Amino acid sequence: MAVTIRDVAHASGVHVSTVSRTFSAPHMVNAETRTRVLAVAEKLGYRPNRAARALTTGRTGNLGLIVADLANPFFPPLIKAAQAAARGQDYHLFVADTDENPVEEQDLVQAFSKQVDGIVLCSPRSSNKALEKLAETIPFVLVNRRMRGVPTVVMDVAQGARAAMGHLAGLGHRRVALVAGPAGSWTSGEIRRAVAEVPGLDTLVIGPNAPTEEGGAAVAERVAEAGVTGVLAYNDLVAIGLIEALEERGVSVPGDVSVIGVDDSVTGRLHRPKLTTVAMPAADAGRMAVDLLIKSMSAATVLETHLVVRESTAPPKGIP
Amino acid sequence: MAVTIRDVAHASGVHVSTVSRTFSAPHMVNAETRTRVLAVAEKLGYRPNRAARALTTGRTGNLGLIVADLANPFFPPLIKAAQAAARGQDYHLFVADTDENPVEEQDLVQAFSKQVDGIVLCSPRSSNKALEKLAETIPFVLVNRRMRGVPTVVMDVAQGARAAMGHLAGLGHRRVALVAGPAGSWTSGEIRRAVAEVPGLDTLVIGPNAPTEEGGAAVAERVAEAGVTGVLAYNDLVAIGLIEALEERGVSVPGDVSVIGVDDSVTGRLHRPKLTTVAMPAADAGRMAVDLLIKSMSAATVLETHLVVRESTAPPKGIP
DNA sequence: GTGAAAGCGCTAACAT
DNA sequence: ATGTTAGCGCTTTCAC
C-alpha cells in the first residue's frame, strides 16, 4: 500500500489535518511545521491521492477529451491545442478514442465522468437524445455538433463547402459528386445541406461513408462511372483514398476528375497531387472548447453591480 | 449532487450494502430484490462512482498511456491497438501527450497514478533515474526504452538501422549521414550504436534533433554541404522534412541524395517520392504492452498444481 | 440473503 | 496554529 497522509502525520508528530493543510492550504500552517512535514513527506515519498481528494472536494483537476479516431490527422492539432489550454489553467487532459462507435462513446463518457471535471466531446457520433442524457451527468462542451443548451464550438463548414463547390463551378465543372461522411456526423449533414444550395451544379450525393481512406477508395468505382468531373469529399482522408483508387483505375486527378478535401491536414499537404481542401481551424476549436468548458464549470458567472447615486441620499444634517 | 448508492437504498427499501452487492456481486443477492434495486437505480439514473469504488478496492479499471507527441503518425496505430487490447480485457484506456517534455512526462505519470491501475509509457524522454522513482509509484510498462526491472517492449530498431545502412552501401553509397533524434530517446541511441558498426561506410552523425519535420528541415543545409549521398533519418517525419527542404534547395531525392526514414507511417506512404523506411511493428507493441501491463498487475501468477499418485494411497481395507 | 459498522485517503467545519 | 470530528461514495467483514 502506498504511503498516506496518516503515515506522514505520525512520522512528523502532527495531526493528519495539519499535513492536509500543508498541501492544500500552506499559508495556514506555521512555517517551521510546514518545512518539517514537507521534509518527512519527501523522505517517505508521499503523494496526495487525487482520487480521494476529489471525493471530498468534488474537483479532480482533470479534463477529458473524446475523439472518434485518433488516427485521423484532423484531431492531433485540436488535441494539442486543447492540452496546452488545459495545462495553462492547471488542468490535466486525458484523451480517449471511440473508434467511431457511438456505444463506446457513451461508455467512455461514463468512464470519464467521475474522474474528470468536464469533457470535450469532438465530432460525436451518438444521437442527440443519448447526448442529452449524458449532459445531465457531467459538464461538457461539444465540438462540431450543435445541441440546445450545451456549450458548443462549431466550424462553419457549410461556408467552406459552398466555397469548394463554387470553386468547381468556376473551373467549369457541371456534374459533380459529394462523397459524404458517416451517418452520425453533424459536419457531414452540414455539408450536404450546403451543397444543395449551390446553383448551377448537378450534384450527386454518395454516402454515408467511413471517414477514412478506405471509405474514399470504396466509392472510386461509383465516382468513375457516374460521369462526374468534380468531387467534394467529406475530409482529406476520404479525398486521398479516392484519389489513389481513381489513379489505380487510370482516372487521373485533376486531369479527368478534380477532387477537394476538407480539413487541411498535414497528410493532405504532403500528398501528391497536393490536395485542394477546406481549411478547418482545428487548433482554435481545441483551445476554445477547453476555455469554454472551464468557464462553464465555474460555479457561477459573477456579474458586476454598481451604485447609482440619485437623490435619496445626502450628508447627515449638521455636516455642511 | 449526483445520485448515490444511498439514494437507491432508500428508494428501494433495502440497505446500502445490498445495493452495493447488486452491482459488484449480483449472485449474492436474491433475484427479486436484485431486479427491484436495478429498476430503482435505472429510474433514478444511478451510476456507481468508480473513483469512490477505487478507494476501497484499490482498482480503477483504467489504464494510462503516455506518448511524446500525438501528432507523430507513429503513435496512432500503437494507441489504437493498445486500446483494443485494453477494451478486450474490460479496461478503459486514457491517453496523454507530453509534448516531448520530460517534466511534463513525470507530471503526467503522477496525475495518472491514482486514477489508473497501470501505465504504458511510450518512448519516454525522462532519465532512467527519474523513471526508476516513478516505477515505485505505480506499475508500468515501457515501450522503446530498456530498464532493469521494468517490463519492456522494444522494437529491434538496431537491426533495421543496419539493414538501412546496408541498403545504402549496396546501392554504392560511401559517405552517408545519420540524422539523429532527440536527446532522451533510447531509439535514437540504438540507431547511433548500430550504424557505427556498419562496415564500408563513412558515417557523419548529425544531431540531436527534434523528431519532427521541422527537425529534418533544419539540418538540410548541413546535409547538403556535407557531401553525403545517403541519409538515414531518425523517423519518417524527419525524413520528409529533410526531403522537402532539400528539394527546395534544388537537391533532388533520390537523384542527388538518398533518404531513408524509420516507422513506415501512413504519412511516409503518402508522400512523394514514396519513402524508403524501416517498418516498426507499432500495433504489435501497443497490444503487447497492454497485455504485459495487465499481467504484471495481477497480484500473483497462479501456477497449476497436480496430483501425483504413487504408492502411499490405496482403497480402504474391506473394499475389494 | 440482508443489515450493521468500519474504513479506504482525504478535506472541511468546528473547537481549542 | 493545530487538533477533533464528521463525512465524501463505496466495499467488505461480521453478525444475524
Side-chain angles (χ1 to χ4, degrees):
Chain A
M1 204 83 266
V3 26
T4 82
I5 203 174
R6 205 143 9 224
D7 302 326
V8 179
H10 260 115
S12 47
V14 297
H15 231 260
V16 287
S17 43
T18 306
V19 179
S20 172
R21 278 188 280 258
T22 307
F23 286 92
S24 36
H27 59 274
M28 293 185 69
V29 43
N30 186 312
E32 83 186 54
T33 331
R34 193 195 320 153
T35 43
R36 184 157 41 92
V37 170
L38 249 23
V40 172
E42 172 68 26
K43 205 185 70 195
L44 264 46
Y46 168 73
R47 297 280 148 206
N49 182 332
R50 307 185 97 209
R53 173 181 291 176
L55 208 50
T56 37
T57 61
R59 186 183 177 283
T60 64
N62 303 140
L63 300 178
L65 186 149
I66 298 179
V67 299
D69 179 15
L70 264 172
N72 184 333
F74 171 71
F75 289 113
L78 188 155
I79 297 172
K80 301 277 252 183
Q83 179 174 259
R87 292 307 286 135
Q89 295 173 75
D90 216 40
Y91 279 92
H92 286 284
L93 185 75
F94 299 155
V95 182
D97 174 317
T98 69
D99 235 351
E100 299 279 350
N101 179 346
V103 177
E104 180 72 9
E105 186 170 287
Q106 286 146 236
D107 197 34
L108 276 169
V109 172
Q110 305 277 17
F112 264 143
S113 70
K114 290 304 189 315
Q115 345 210 14
V116 304
D117 299 333
I119 296 179
V120 177
L121 195 47
C122 300
S123 312
R125 302 296 187 229
S126 298
S127 69
N128 269 10
K129 211 178 137 206
L131 291 179
E132 265 162 34
K133 270 193 93 167
L134 294 177
E136 296 166 7
T137 322
I138 183 168
F140 62 56
V141 167
L142 255 26
V143 173
N144 278 351
R145 171 78 150 247
R146 224 185 263 278
M147 224 178 83
R148 225 166 52 95
V150 178
T152 294
V153 177
V154 294
M155 311 182 201
D156 190 358
V157 68
Q159 183 255 319
R162 281 190 299 265
M165 285 308 200
H167 173 64
L168 289 178
L171 290 170
H173 297 274
R174 287 300 164 257
R175 278 188 56 74
V176 300
L178 167 65
V179 176
S185 161
W186 176 87
T187 301
S188 186
E190 283 293 290
I191 297 177
R192 276 173 112 114
R193 250 163 277 135
V195 302
E197 300 165 6
V198 179
L201 236 38
D202 182 7
T203 306
L204 170 72
V205 177
I206 301 178
N209 303 288
T212 59
E213 293 169 73
E214 290 74 39
V219 298
E221 193 80 46
R222 287 184 60 191
V223 167
E225 287 173 357
V228 300
T229 62
V231 175
L232 173 60
Y234 171 67
N235 68 15
D236 286 357
L237 252 29
V238 170
I240 289 172
L242 174 62
I243 293 174
E244 303 260 302
L246 284 176
E247 300 212 311
E248 263 176 33
R249 281 177 173 67
V251 180
S252 112
V253 176
D256 302 317
V257 177
S258 290
V259 176
I260 301 180
V262 173
D263 284 353
D264 190 21
S265 60
V266 181
T267 310
R269 270 197 293 277
L270 292 173
H271 189 258
R272 296 295 181 278
K274 293 188 181 175
L275 195 61
T276 296
T277 186
V278 176
M280 300 274 268
D284 291 343
R287 185 172 357 91
M288 295 188 62
V290 164
D291 289 345
L292 212 55
L293 183 58
I294 293 176
K295 213 165 287 168
S296 83
M297 287 176 338
S298 64
T301 308
V302 179
L303 301 173
E304 306 282 271
T305 63
H306 67 280
L307 177 67
V308 182
V309 178
R310 292 218 174 85
E311 298 168 349
S312 62
T313 46
K317 271 182 188 160
I319 299 200
Chain B
M1 200 84 270
V3 26
T4 82
I5 203 173
R6 209 153 355 238
D7 302 327
V8 178
H10 260 114
S12 46
V14 295
H15 259 249
V16 287
S17 40
T18 305
V19 179
S20 172
R21 279 189 278 259
T22 306
F23 286 91
S24 36
H27 60 275
M28 292 186 68
V29 42
N30 186 311
E32 88 186 48
T33 331
R34 192 194 323 152
T35 43
R36 184 156 42 93
V37 170
L38 249 24
V40 172
E42 172 68 27
K43 202 184 73 195
L44 264 46
Y46 168 72
R47 296 278 148 208
N49 181 333
R50 307 186 99 211
R53 174 181 292 177
L55 207 51
T56 39
T57 61
R59 186 183 178 284
T60 64
N62 303 140
L63 301 178
L65 186 148
I66 298 179
V67 299
D69 178 15
L70 263 171
N72 183 332
F74 171 71
F75 288 115
L78 190 155
I79 296 172
K80 300 277 249 185
Q83 178 173 260
R87 291 308 286 133
Q89 296 172 75
D90 216 38
Y91 280 91
H92 285 283
L93 185 76
F94 299 156
V95 182
D97 174 317
T98 69
D99 235 350
E100 299 278 349
N101 179 347
V103 176
E104 181 71 9
E105 186 171 287
Q106 286 145 237
D107 198 33
L108 276 169
V109 172
Q110 306 276 19
F112 264 144
S113 70
K114 290 304 190 312
Q115 344 210 15
V116 303
D117 299 332
I119 296 179
V120 176
L121 195 47
C122 299
S123 313
R125 302 294 187 231
S126 297
S127 69
N128 269 9
K129 213 178 134 204
L131 291 179
E132 265 161 32
K133 271 194 92 168
L134 294 177
E136 296 165 7
T137 321
I138 183 169
F140 61 56
V141 167
L142 254 27
V143 173
N144 278 349
R145 170 77 150 248
R146 224 186 262 278
M147 226 180 82
R148 224 167 53 95
V150 178
T152 293
V153 177
V154 294
M155 311 182 201
D156 189 357
V157 68
Q159 183 255 322
R162 281 190 299 265
M165 286 309 200
H167 173 66
L168 289 177
L171 290 169
H173 297 274
R174 288 299 165 257
R175 277 188 58 73
V176 300
L178 168 65
V179 177
S185 162
W186 175 88
T187 302
S188 187
E190 283 293 290
I191 297 176
R192 278 172 112 114
R193 253 164 275 136
V195 303
E197 299 166 7
V198 178
L201 237 37
D202 182 6
T203 307
L204 169 72
V205 177
I206 302 177
N209 303 289
T212 58
E213 293 168 72
E214 290 74 38
V219 298
E221 193 80 44
R222 288 184 59 192
V223 167
E225 288 173 356
V228 300
T229 62
V231 175
L232 173 60
Y234 171 68
N235 68 16
D236 286 356
L237 251 30
V238 171
I240 289 172
L242 174 62
I243 292 174
E244 304 259 305
L246 283 176
E247 302 213 308
E248 265 176 29
R249 281 176 173 68
V251 180
S252 112
V253 176
D256 302 317
V257 177
S258 290
V259 177
I260 302 181
V262 172
D263 284 353
D264 190 22
S265 61
V266 180
T267 310
R269 269 197 294 277
L270 291 173
H271 188 259
R272 295 294 180 279
K274 292 187 181 174
L275 194 62
T276 297
T277 187
V278 176
M280 300 274 268
D284 290 343
R287 188 172 354 92
M288 294 188 62
V290 164
D291 289 346
L292 211 56
L293 184 56
I294 292 176
K295 215 165 285 168
S296 83
M297 286 176 339
S298 64
T301 308
V302 179
L303 301 174
E304 306 282 271
T305 61
H306 68 281
L307 177 66
V308 182
V309 179
R310 293 217 173 85
E311 297 167 347
S312 60
T313 45
K317 273 183 187 156
I319 298 199

